[in-house]
Amino acid sequence: MNDKTTISEQAAAHDTVEAAIRGQLAKAFGGIRGVIEAAVPTAAFTVMWVVTAQLQLSLIVSASAAVLLLVVRLVQRSTPQYVLNSLIGIGIGWFFATRTGEAKDVYLPGILYNAGYSVVMLISIVTRWPVVGFLIGSVTGDPTAWRNDPAVVKLCTKLTWMLMIPCVVRVAVQAPVYLIGGNDAVAELGLLKIVMGWPLQIAALGAMVWLLTRGRTPVQPAS
């Protein structure tokens, strides 16, 4: 399918809200390959730090692993989105760590990101503008029409809770380790980031897909 598929064509491809959201979620996650590409740079940094205790060398190895994955994507002419996301995360972590000289600060941006994301999603739920609702808007061509249907708002609220829970769990577990363990906890932080990254997100996705298989809310394309 052409990447420039029109909104109307996207809407026509889904006859229910649940199917539309499943389709958008599938695009947001990179599959097994996306999981691996997200984990490799973190694993490379963690292993190098444990072996050498050299911050710059560990950062270089981590970034090199991400660049290698990016080159493979480009050679294969497949989407580099997931590798680029990982590379951007490495760059931000590099900035934090080199500013302070603390290896643990490589993981600080991820903790802050999850905390911020949790707050945004909670606000969207409280104000009855759950972020998952905008996935429907991207399909129907009207970003806000979904709010006119209380059933859809309720569904999107449940899904947004499911999307938020992994972020809250990561912060609740990783933040104390970061604050208390210091550089002695770099290996633990690396392991936690891998274990609580895509695996936890996939578990949440599985719960969301299970919920989405239970209903058939008609999609109403924008006029």
Side-chain angles (χ1 to χ4, degrees):
M1 182 180 293
N2 192 305
D3 290 338
K4 297 181 179 179
T5 303
T6 65
I7 293 294
S8 60
E9 288 173 330
Q10 289 180 11
H14 304 288
D15 59 355
T16 67
V17 169
E18 289 80 9
I21 298 177
R22 286 200 303 269
Q24 295 299 86
L25 288 173
K27 293 178 182 178
F29 293 84
I32 298 299
R33 184 171 180 177
V35 173
I36 295 173
E37 289 172 340
V40 166
T42 298
F45 173 82
T46 304
V47 171
M48 286 303 300
W49 170 260
V50 171
V51 172
T52 68
Q54 295 185 30
L55 177 60
Q56 290 298 324
L57 177 60
S58 301
L59 288 168
I60 290 171
V61 170
S62 176
S64 298
V67 170
L68 179 60
L69 292 171
L70 177 60
V71 170
V72 172
R73 280 280 191 176
L74 294 175
V75 169
Q76 295 177 340
R77 296 186 177 182
S78 58
T79 177
Q81 172 189 344
Y82 310 105
V83 182
L84 287 174
N85 290 343
S86 177
L87 197 55
I88 291 171
I90 292 169
I92 297 173
W94 191 316
F95 174 78
F96 273 69
T98 53
R99 291 274 293 183
T100 65
E102 299 284 338
K104 67 174 184 175
D105 286 335
V106 167
Y107 304 104
L108 179 58
I111 296 173
L112 296 177
Y113 171 83
N114 279 280
Y117 205 52
S118 299
V119 170
V120 169
M121 285 191 285
L122 181 60
I123 291 173
S124 78
I125 291 170
V126 171
T127 58
R128 294 186 60 78
W129 284 88
V131 295
V132 174
F134 294 99
L135 293 178
I136 300 172
S138 69
V139 173
T140 63
D142 188 328
T144 61
W146 54 273
R147 291 198 76 245
N148 297 327
D149 188 335
V152 174
V153 174
K154 183 178 180 180
L155 171 64
C156 292
T157 297
K158 291 179 180 178
L159 293 170
T160 302
W161 275 114
M162 291 180 178
L163 200 60
M164 186 182 79
I165 288 173
C167 298
V168 174
V169 171
R170 291 185 193 113
V171 175
V173 174
Q174 294 176 19
V177 176
Y178 169 85
L179 293 172
I180 298 172
N183 280 337
D184 292 333
V186 169
E188 289 84 350
L189 286 169
L191 180 61
L192 286 173
K193 183 173 181 178
I194 294 171
V195 172
M196 304 184 75
W198 280 106
L200 192 57
Q201 202 70 32
I202 289 173
L205 177 61
M208 294 170 76
V209 169
W210 173 81
L211 179 63
L212 289 168
T213 59
R214 301 178 64 196
R216 293 189 60 81
T217 308
V219 169
Q220 299 296 332
S223 57

